[in-house]
Amino acid sequence: MSRMGDVLAGFHAAWEFESDSVLIRYERGIRTPKLFQALGERRVPLGAIAGVTLAPGKRGTVVLRVELREGADPLLEAAAGQLKEGCDPYRLVLPAEKETLAEYYADELRAGLDGGGPVDGYLVAAPEAPRQFKAYDAKASFDGRTVSFRWFWTGASSAKWKAGDQSFPVTELSGVQWRSPEVFEGHLRLMLRDGATAPTQPDQDPAAVVFGLGYGPVHESLPFAAAVLAAVRKSGPAAVVPAAGPRRDPADIAERIRHLGELHQAGLVTDEEFSSKKAELLAEL
């Protein structure tokens, strides 16, 4: 790019344009998405960018966005398309009066791109270890080499208690499955290299932790998943399992709908949430 060190400041973030990369620094503040605050900053090499868009936003804004190449970022790979638009770390929302300036930088970025195909290795750094977070049934921790689950007696299933606290060296893992806590049955599941068949339900799988209201929030569990995924990739070929799980037994679906109905009757789930989550479960039949 021709103008090194230029900074374009928007809502929640500022982008600094350098000769070979874009450095994204996220603001700290009560209105800034917690995921952005947890990330702090992201350096995106031009080689990681597949394309650049500039489009009208909401309420007098424009949105500059970089689209990353497939496989370039462990965070996006772990997220598997589940991030809400407002938590997309590669969107810069700007006042409409900055549209001309944003268009200039968009053109400058496009001029520096050399292709948009998939890449074999991560080009954007993963969130650094150590990391930890509280799931509904365990405390999950990762020191850069080993993932550990320490079960909570208030949330862990009897199957997990029977298995005991778990430790998984990254050399024994083949991938990570992250399902957002903002959808029904959010969880983080570790996939084992030995190919052992895991229980269908994550609450029965000692290699998984389940999320809940206030447990496993996106800004804690997603960077955790990305850090583990990057470490697994360094140790050998890794695989991210799609967020959607396998089709389930109809009896299991019926039991979960019954439980959802109990939450609805207790006022813990709204009418809209009940209808939406019930439809999700029925779709898995």
Side-chain angles (χ1 to χ4, degrees):
M1 295 179 64
S2 61
R3 296 173 62 180
M4 292 177 56
D6 285 1
V7 176
L8 184 60
F11 300 107
H12 309 318
W15 290 14
E16 182 175 345
F17 299 90
E18 302 180 351
S19 60
D20 60 354
S21 63
V22 178
L23 177 60
I24 303 175
R25 291 191 174 96
Y26 303 102
E27 295 180 351
R28 294 190 178 275
I30 59 174
R31 294 188 178 183
T32 301
K34 290 183 177 180
L35 177 61
F36 294 178
Q37 297 184 52
L39 294 174
E41 65 179 39
R42 305 238 89 192
R43 182 176 294 278
V44 185
L46 296 187
I49 300 175
V52 184
T53 61
L54 180 64
K58 300 177 181 178
R59 295 185 292 276
T61 63
V62 293
V63 179
L64 178 64
R65 182 175 185 272
V66 292
E67 299 172 350
L68 268 60
R69 298 169 66 180
E70 182 181 346
D73 180 12
L75 188 84
L76 293 188
E77 192 167 350
Q82 298 172 81
L83 283 178
K84 293 181 178 179
E85 184 179 78
C87 285
D88 182 346
Y90 302 114
R91 292 174 76 250
L92 181 65
V93 182
L94 301 151
E97 56 265 27
K98 291 189 176 182
E99 181 175 4
T100 300
L101 188 59
E103 187 172 4
Y104 165 78
Y105 285 115
D107 288 341
E108 285 284 289
L109 282 173
R110 293 187 188 106
L113 304 184
D114 58 6
V119 295
D120 295 330
Y122 296 134
L123 302 178
V124 180
E128 294 183 358
R131 308 201 72 88
Q132 64 181 29
F133 70 92
K134 287 185 178 180
Y136 176 73
D137 57 358
K139 177 181 178 181
S141 60
F142 177 54
D143 63 5
R145 299 179 301 275
T146 303
V147 181
S148 299
F149 297 153
R150 182 178 179 182
W151 307 121
F152 296 146
W153 69 271
T154 52
S157 65
S158 58
K160 291 182 176 180
W161 271 113
K162 184 176 180 180
D165 292 344
Q166 299 290 301
S167 294
F168 302 90
V170 294
T171 53
E172 296 180 3
L173 304 178
S174 64
V176 178
Q177 180 188 71
W178 180 81
R179 186 164 187 180
S180 173
E182 297 176 344
V183 299
F184 193 53
E185 295 185 335
H187 63 264
L188 182 145
R189 190 197 299 263
L190 305 175
M191 314 308 296
L192 306 182
R193 287 190 188 276
D194 63 12
T197 302
T200 301
Q201 296 303 321
D203 63 349
Q204 300 298 311
D205 184 0
V209 294
V210 298
F211 304 149
L213 185 62
Y215 294 95
V218 171
H219 70 281
E220 295 181 355
S221 61
L222 179 56
F224 184 103
V228 174
L229 185 59
V232 171
R233 175 70 64 85
K234 285 183 179 180
S235 69
V240 177
V241 180
R247 293 191 177 275
R248 296 173 176 162
D249 185 273
D252 178 66
I253 295 291
E255 173 61 22
R256 291 183 174 271
I257 291 177
R258 182 193 65 76
H259 177 63
L260 183 62
E262 292 176 351
L263 295 176
H264 180 232
Q265 291 179 356
L268 299 176
V269 174
T270 66
D271 292 344
E272 182 179 351
E273 290 172 331
F274 174 74
S275 298
S276 174
K277 296 183 188 302
K278 181 179 178 181
E280 287 181 17
L281 289 169
L282 291 174
E284 295 182 19
L285 287 173

